Amino acid sequence: MAYGNLALDLLLKNISGRLVVLKNGHYDNVPLELVTATKKVIDVKEHYNTERLRPEYRALRISRCF
């Protein structure tokens, strides 16, 4: 939800060509060119469950705040 709200803030400010990111523990935005400048490679067998068509979530922790 935070990413969506920050993206909406950029739109309302008429700012385009930016991507909302989490950088050093803080929300920020960066130019799209920074993200697309290099090719990213992932080990599909290690990080992706091809039968379920989903990423592997081995260390996912969910905390509930009520």
Side-chain angles (χ1 to χ4, degrees), residues 2-60:
Y3 285 96
N5 286 331
L6 293 168
L8 181 58
D9 288 343
L10 291 173
L11 284 171
L12 293 174
K13 293 176 185 173
N14 206 23
I15 299 173
S16 62
R18 309 285 295 181
L19 181 70
V20 176
V21 297
L22 186 61
K23 184 170 136 182
N24 299 322
H26 300 280
Y27 290 104
D28 199 357
N29 63 78
V30 296
L32 284 174
E33 295 80 24
L34 181 68
V35 179
T36 60
T38 59
K39 182 178 180 179
K40 281 74 170 176
V41 180
I42 185 168
D43 184 343
V44 173
K45 289 182 181 180
E46 182 178 346
H47 300 288
Y48 199 75
N49 182 333
T50 55
E51 290 178 15
R52 296 190 64 214
L53 302 175
R54 289 180 170 54
E56 292 287 353
Y57 297 106
R58 292 186 197 118
L60 182 64

